[in-house]
Amino acid sequence: MSDTPVKQQGTAAFYGQAVASFAVAMAATSVGIFRLDADAWVRAFLAIAVLYLVTSAFTLAKVIRDRQEAGQIVSRVDQARLEKLLAEYDPFEKP
């Protein structure tokens, strides 16, 4: 009767690929900014902008994950209440 959702968890390979991809992207961006033919203040501004973008992306990902997990918890509590009511209900019981 009850469909207990299986917790989805990424594999170690997926985690490693995500970390490696992030490292390569940050390294490439850093080298690109460092080798840019511009004044130091322009490169510094671009570096700060990239760092701000990265921290904002991490924060956004965390907020989305937290909202999704909160929704799953509420859904599971509601499902448990419904199952309890259905288990206690006897249509043949006289009032």
Side-chain angles (χ1 to χ4, degrees):
M1 264 287 177
S2 71
D3 293 359
T4 304
V6 177
K7 184 175 181 180
Q8 296 176 351
Q9 187 171 352
T11 63
F14 180 73
Y15 179 77
Q17 185 268 337
V19 170
S21 176
F22 176 77
V24 167
M26 282 299 291
T29 304
S30 298
V31 168
I33 290 173
F34 178 73
R35 309 247 324 144
L36 185 66
D37 188 26
D39 291 337
W41 71 270
V42 173
R43 290 193 309 256
F45 175 79
L46 291 174
I48 294 296
V50 167
L51 290 176
Y52 180 63
L53 180 63
V54 168
T55 58
S56 297
F58 277 117
T59 302
L60 178 62
K62 183 185 178 318
V63 167
I64 290 171
R65 185 201 62 204
D66 291 347
R67 274 187 144 181
Q68 181 183 12
E69 287 178 353
Q72 288 175 348
I73 291 170
V74 169
S75 176
R76 292 176 92 187
V77 168
D78 289 342
Q79 182 67 29
R81 287 181 183 156
L82 177 63
E83 287 179 7
K84 181 181 177 198
L85 283 173
L86 290 174
E88 293 174 351
Y89 176 71
D90 183 9
F92 300 110
E93 181 181 316
K94 293 184 179 182

